Amino acid sequence: QKEVEQNSGPLSVPEGAIASLNCTYSDRGSQSFFWYRQYSGKSPELIMFIYSNGDKEDGRFTAQLNKASQYVSLLIRDSQPSDSATYLCAVGPGNNRLAFGKGNQVVVIP
Amino acid sequence: DVKVTQSSRYLVKRTGEKVFLECVQDMDHENMFWYRQDPGLGLRLIYFSYDVKMKEKGDIPEGYSVSREKKERFSLILESASTNQTSMYLCASSPGTMETQYFGPGTRLLVL
């Protein structure tokens, strides 16, 4: 069964620090990788997508993909209280659907 | 901007009622999806559709059916609502198989 794992518990970071989130996936044939942010009571919204090995930066966010090790990570630099949310990792295995992880809660402490 | 709308934000129904949840997207996307999200269980795929009148079962299709008569509209039907179907229901659409899914605002359904 194709799985996406986000194993870390809630992550508390001081304002201004770097938050680091990790995600591993089981399907070696996966081709597309996404990070979504979900505020409490709201629907997920896309932060970033990445298709190729390496880093992709967008503002304070950096996604890192390592297909050989089957992990994708998200770094949030200069964390702000507005970054407090649950972050969902999603992986595209190529059968018309994405597989989602259960999410990691991030709490930014002012 | 992609816009995905859902017919209701909050819905209260009684056990045994037939429930219709509607989703409309305005970006001519091929694929549409219905998920439910429950604490500790994450997003679970109920059904998806990759073309008009086409549907495929997701991970938890039991107790649900879907309809896609027009490209922009994807409906989720609870034939006989039960209390264990109390959940947040999220609709999403995407332009292609490997591409970003855009979510609607969600419908929080309470079945009494």
Side-chain angles (χ1 to χ4, degrees), chain A residues 65-93:
Chain A
L65 175 61
N66 184 322
K67 289 186 179 180
S69 299
Q70 294 178 240
Y71 81 80
V72 56
S73 61
L74 180 71
L75 300 178
I76 308 173
R77 291 183 302 281
D78 187 25
S79 296
Q80 301 296 308
S82 60
D83 296 326
S84 296
T86 296
Y87 290 80
L88 304 175
C89 172
V91 175

Side-chain angles (χ1 to χ4, degrees), chain B residues 1-105:
Chain B
D1 279 353
V2 175
K3 191 167 184 183
V4 181
T5 58
Q6 295 183 229
S7 50
S8 305
R9 293 299 305 273
Y10 301 94
L11 210 51
V12 180
K13 295 293 181 180
R14 297 239 174 243
T15 301
E17 280 192 77
K18 192 169 187 176
V19 181
F20 294 87
L21 302 181
E22 286 211 317
C23 175
V24 178
Q25 51 95 1
D26 67 355
M27 286 302 292
D28 201 36
H29 284 174
E30 301 294 328
N31 301 330
M32 296 187 75
F33 307 82
W34 275 107
Y35 296 89
R36 63 177 284 178
Q37 188 174 35
D38 302 286
L41 297 177
L43 277 168
R44 292 183 290 168
L45 182 65
I46 304 171
Y47 268 98
F48 66 102
S49 168
Y50 51 88
D51 201 354
V52 175
K53 297 192 184 294
M54 303 299 288
K55 61 185 179 184
E56 284 200 27
K57 293 180 180 180
D59 299 319
I60 51 164
E62 296 79 18
Y64 303 94
S65 62
V66 290
S67 172
R68 194 168 181 199
E69 296 296 321
K70 293 185 178 181
K71 191 174 187 180
E72 67 271 18
R73 190 179 299 267
F74 192 35
S75 300
L76 179 70
I77 303 150
L78 286 65
E79 297 291 341
S80 177
S82 63
T83 54
N84 63 12
Q85 292 178 309
T86 290
S87 187
M88 168 73 100
Y89 288 88
L90 290 160
C91 174
S93 72
S94 74
T97 59
M98 301 284 285
E99 299 183 60
T100 302
Q101 290 187 16
Y102 299 90
F103 285 85

Side-chain angles (χ1 to χ4, degrees), chain A residues 23-76:
Chain A
C23 170
T24 59
Y25 59 94
S26 60
D27 184 3
R28 205 167 266 286
S30 299
Q31 296 294 322
S32 57
F33 307 86
F34 306 86
W35 282 100
Y36 286 83
R37 177 177 63 201
Q38 187 175 22
Y39 293 115
S40 180
K42 303 293 186 181
S43 60
E45 57 179 331
L46 180 73
I47 299 176
M48 295 191 68
F49 61 88
I50 185 168
Y51 296 148
S52 303
N53 273 331
D55 294 359
K56 180 180 179 182
E57 188 174 314
D58 184 358
R60 296 186 295 109
F61 298 96
T62 299
Q64 299 174 318
L65 175 61
N66 184 322
K67 289 186 179 180
S69 299
Q70 294 178 240
Y71 81 80
V72 56
S73 61
L74 180 71
L75 300 178
I76 308 173

